[in-house]
Amino acid sequence: MLKHILIFMIKFLTKHRGFFFLGVFASLAVTFNACTDVDNSLGDDLLQGSEAVKDTTVLVDPSTVLTEKFPTSLSGKCYLGIYKDPVFGEISSSLVTMFLPSNISQYADTVHAVKQIVSIDLSLKLKGGVGDSLSRHTLNVFQLNEILKVDSTYYSDYQIAYKKVPDAISNAEVEYDRKADGIVTIPLKTAFASSLLNRETIKQFYKAVKADSKTSLQQQFINQFKGLYVENTSTSSAVGGLNAIDFADTSSRVLVRYKVTSTKGEDSLIRLSLKIGYLGYNNYNLLNRFNVVKHDFKADLTPTSDKNYVYLQGFGGVRTRLKFDANTIKAFAGKGYKIHRAELVVEPYFPGGLLNYKNMPMSLSAYYPKTEKGKEIMLFTPDMEIFKGVSTNAFYNRSQRLYSLNITTFFKDAMRGVKPNEFYLYAGVPAGLYSSQSSSYGTNYAELPSDFLSLPNQVILKGQMKLIITYSK
């Protein structure tokens, strides 16, 4: 058995010098460990006796698919800004977030104070992004008129026009840029601070909690102050940019400063902090935040029949759909072949031949549609999890100037009829896959909100992608 495996490895590597060595070697290493399985992850089994290994290359026609709606909540990052690309078009993103006092008891105790409001501000700590970091953007802040659910998924097409209070609570539009990942401070109206510290409102909170043991001061606050909408209204730059918000930083907050007067007539300045989007490890589920996103795609992206080029873009954007044609299914389905490897070769297209590493994704991820309870969700192809510890699967190879994706298990299952005949490519490192690398519980297969929210890296791909299948009879 070992002898045949080594012979196969040498023959395979000699024949496929065009592929990068580490990817093939790592793939075979996983296969080597699983060679005793009849139905292992990479093939029905390895070589036996004098079986002849064959390679065949089939062409897979891709198409560009627009992503008009995608989940943006319950994820790691949110973005503000407007990003313009001469090929892919424009992305605009605004923020919806819940907010809550850092210390609800301290907040409730303000009922006893004689207050004089000094100021109220919303501040946002920036942390990375794409586009021009010096491009100027403008922000406005509104309150919501709809209670947000802390454990629900919200989508990019949230109808914000009907869910916000018309009058802004910010004093005026505030300009900002992302230089040095600073803090954006937006002064808010004192009338909003007065509503937060309203004595009668806080009394009603206590009254509701006393009447219903299942409610809490936190929930009463959320019922009253439903959330904030931070709207990115414009950019002065030809390129613009999307700017990520660091919710875990303590400077991302609403801060109220007010004076209290003691019985001796002395004033003390009090600072009341209200967290946005994130409360910390133990109680983060009390808050939700998400993006309202609009894509204005260029006209040449909308046709899905152009086989010369297809397009990929993160943060929703566009994705590529691939489908095994009838000839491929006829050649492999039900033939009893032992499929040892199915490698999809994806070649980027660079206008003018110039590489653009800054914008292109470092890897692609593959996933397929599945219907559960009447709802279509997207799941990673099994090979993405199997190779989560192998850095060559789906990563860009600079020397070969291509992406190479191992889809062996998925292809085999598709030929058996237990997986669909189509799958999608997504631009970006699969965050859900990476977060599970240190876990012994494996990948959490679910809808892909965090992956759709990866940075809007983008790449143009050449059409008619090659699928190289290594098999034996």
Side-chain angles (χ1 to χ4, degrees):
M1 178 70 176
L2 177 60
K3 178 181 177 181
H4 294 306
I5 294 173
L6 293 176
I7 292 173
F8 171 64
M9 290 170 65
I10 293 170
K11 288 174 62 179
F12 191 95
L13 294 173
T14 301
K15 190 170 185 178
H16 292 284
R17 291 189 297 269
F19 290 109
F20 39 94
F21 175 80
L22 289 177
V24 177
F25 182 79
S27 304
L28 291 174
V30 175
T31 307
F32 190 90
N33 290 332
C35 68
T36 59
D37 294 337
V38 175
D39 184 17
N40 62 62
S41 59
L42 293 185
D44 289 332
D45 61 12
L46 285 179
L47 298 180
Q48 295 180 1
S50 59
E51 288 178 320
V53 177
K54 297 182 179 181
D55 278 352
T56 186
T57 299
V58 299
L59 297 179
V60 183
D61 288 332
S63 58
T64 301
V65 180
L66 304 183
T67 305
E68 299 177 351
K69 175 182 178 180
F70 59 99
T72 61
S73 62
L74 307 177
S75 60
K77 288 187 177 180
C78 285
Y79 295 94
L80 283 172
I82 298 174
Y83 179 53
K84 303 175 183 179
D85 183 88
V87 175
F88 284 82
E90 180 178 299
I91 302 174
S92 63
S93 180
S94 295
L95 169 67
V96 176
T97 178
M98 301 170 72
F99 65 106
L100 196 64
S102 301
N103 187 321
I104 192 70
S105 298
Q106 178 189 0
Y107 162 76
D109 286 344
T110 61
V111 68
H112 305 298
V114 177
K115 296 174 289 294
Q116 179 185 342
I117 295 169
V118 176
S119 64
I120 178 171
D121 302 300
L122 168 64
S123 59
L124 305 168
K125 177 67 171 70
L126 303 180
K127 189 177 183 179
V130 294
D132 182 3
S133 63
L134 300 180
S135 63
R136 304 291 292 177
H137 296 264
T138 54
L139 295 176
N140 256 338
V141 184
F142 300 83
Q143 281 189 272
L144 299 182
N145 59 21
E146 178 182 77
I147 297 175
L148 300 178
K149 297 180 180 179
V150 298
D151 56 353
S152 295
T153 300
Y154 289 88
Y155 289 80
S156 56
D157 64 344
Y158 184 75
Q159 300 299 306
I160 190 63
Y162 307 102
K163 307 298 177 60
K164 68 174 184 177
V165 178
D167 295 329
I169 60 172
S170 48
N171 281 322
E173 288 187 336
V174 170
E175 284 197 353
Y176 76 99
D177 59 43
R178 198 176 71 244
K179 180 175 60 179
D181 281 342
I183 298 172
V184 183
T185 300
I186 311 168
L188 305 180
K189 295 177 179 179
T190 55
F192 177 56
S194 298
S195 67
L196 292 173
L197 300 179
N198 184 276
R199 180 170 181 170
E200 293 304 316
T201 299
I202 298 173
K203 282 184 176 180
Q204 291 300 316
F205 291 173
Y206 274 113
K207 184 177 180 180
V209 170
K210 186 176 181 180
D212 183 0
S213 60
K214 294 182 180 180
T215 190
S216 63
L217 285 174
Q218 288 95 336
Q219 187 58 54
Q220 291 305 313
F221 183 93
I222 292 170
N223 292 344
Q224 179 68 25
F225 304 105
K226 301 171 181 63
L228 301 175
Y229 172 55
V230 186
E231 182 181 42
N232 201 105
T233 57
S234 63
T235 179
S236 59
S237 168
V239 176
L242 291 175
N243 312 295
I245 308 301
D246 186 359
F247 294 98
D249 193 287
T250 56
S251 57
S252 292
R253 63 187 178 184
V254 174
L255 184 65
V256 185
R257 299 177 182 87
Y258 63 94
K259 290 181 179 179
V260 297
T261 303
S262 69
T263 55
K264 298 181 179 180
E266 298 174 349
D267 288 342
S268 298
L269 183 64
I270 305 296
R271 295 159 56 94
L272 174 65
S273 178
L274 300 96
K275 292 293 291 180
I276 61 170
Y278 178 84
L279 283 179
Y281 179 77
N282 291 324
N283 52 6
Y284 71 97
N285 281 330
L286 286 173
L287 298 180
N288 201 341
R289 77 275 183 133
F290 57 94
N291 279 129
V292 178
V293 184
K294 295 180 180 179
H295 287 92
D296 181 13
F297 296 109
K298 287 290 185 179
D300 58 353
L301 285 187
T302 52
T304 58
S305 58
D306 184 0
K307 294 183 174 62
N308 293 322
Y309 304 104
V310 288
Y311 303 85
L312 280 178
Q313 184 180 46
F315 199 60
V318 292
R319 49 190 169 142
T320 294
R321 178 170 56 202
L322 298 101
K323 189 171 184 177
F324 304 125
D325 64 16
N327 290 332
T328 301
I329 296 171
K330 183 178 179 180
F332 285 93
K335 300 295 185 181
Y337 293 146
K338 296 166 185 174
I339 299 170
H340 305 290
R341 190 168 180 84
E343 191 82 11
L344 182 70
V345 179
V346 182
E347 187 177 355
Y349 167 71
F350 303 99
L354 299 176
L355 298 176
N356 188 344
Y357 293 128
K358 183 178 180 181
N359 284 339
M360 67 181 295
M362 70 169 63
S363 78
L364 306 181
S365 54
Y367 55 97
Y368 66 97
K370 181 181 179 181
T371 301
E372 286 189 356
K373 298 179 180 179
K375 177 182 178 183
E376 184 178 88
I377 64 173
M378 294 292 176
L379 304 177
F380 289 119
T381 57
D383 307 278
M384 294 302 295
E385 182 189 18
I386 293 167
F387 283 88
K388 66 184 179 183
V390 181
S391 61
T392 50
N393 190 47
F395 276 68
Y396 182 67
N397 185 313
R398 293 193 180 194
S399 62
Q400 298 295 326
R401 297 180 68 154
L402 53 79
Y403 297 93
S404 179
L405 286 81
N406 169 24
I407 61 168
T408 309
T409 307
F410 179 80
F411 177 75
K412 181 178 62 176
D413 288 344
M415 295 303 101
R416 290 173 173 168
V418 297
K419 291 285 194 302
N421 292 329
E422 65 178 28
F423 65 103
Y424 294 85
L425 297 182
Y426 167 79
V429 177
L433 208 60
Y434 269 74
S435 63
S436 67
Q437 283 194 10
S438 60
S439 170
S440 60
Y441 297 103
T443 301
N444 178 22
Y445 287 103
E447 208 170 5
L448 304 174
S450 58
D451 295 314
F452 271 105
L453 280 175
S454 295
L455 285 175
N457 298 329
Q458 55 200 34
V459 63
I460 304 173
L461 304 175
K462 292 184 179 179
Q464 286 205 314
M465 300 173 184
K466 296 179 181 179
L467 179 62
I468 301 176
I469 304 167
T470 303
Y471 68 100
S472 61
K473 294 185 178 180

